[in-house]
Amino acid sequence: MTDRRPGATPRQKHDAKITVYVSDEELLALEHARLALRAHHGVAVDRGRVVREAVAVVLADLADNGADSVLVRRLRQDSGP
């Protein structure tokens, strides 16, 4: 299925699903990001696409930078000493 709207990215079928719980603030931030992508960058995507891209970015950073990755630093910060 292809989205024909101007600025839209092609849709892909996904075979697996996970459920992720987020805070109200995180959900609001995600929606703000989605709206900013559309309003300021002409990229019309749903929240799921934003999340999938964010996961891809953070996993690539982990693969490239290991212990120095943003993910490792943030998780260590959250878990304490």
Side-chain angles (χ1 to χ4, degrees), residues 19 26 31 39 51 56 69:
T19 300
E26 291 165 332
E31 186 62 17
V51 170
S69 69

Side-chain angles (χ1 to χ4, degrees), residues 5 11 26-51:
R5 293 173 295 166
R11 290 183 176 239
E26 291 165 332
L27 183 60
L28 188 58
L30 181 57
E31 186 62 17
H32 279 277
R34 185 189 70 79
L35 292 172
L37 285 166
R38 183 175 180 181
H40 302 295
H41 306 288
V43 179
V45 293
D46 61 24
R47 292 183 303 220
R49 177 70 188 273
V50 174
V51 170

Side-chain angles (χ1 to χ4, degrees), residues 51-62:
V51 170
R52 287 189 301 276
E53 291 299 327
V55 168
V57 167
V58 81
L59 292 177
D61 179 52
L62 177 63

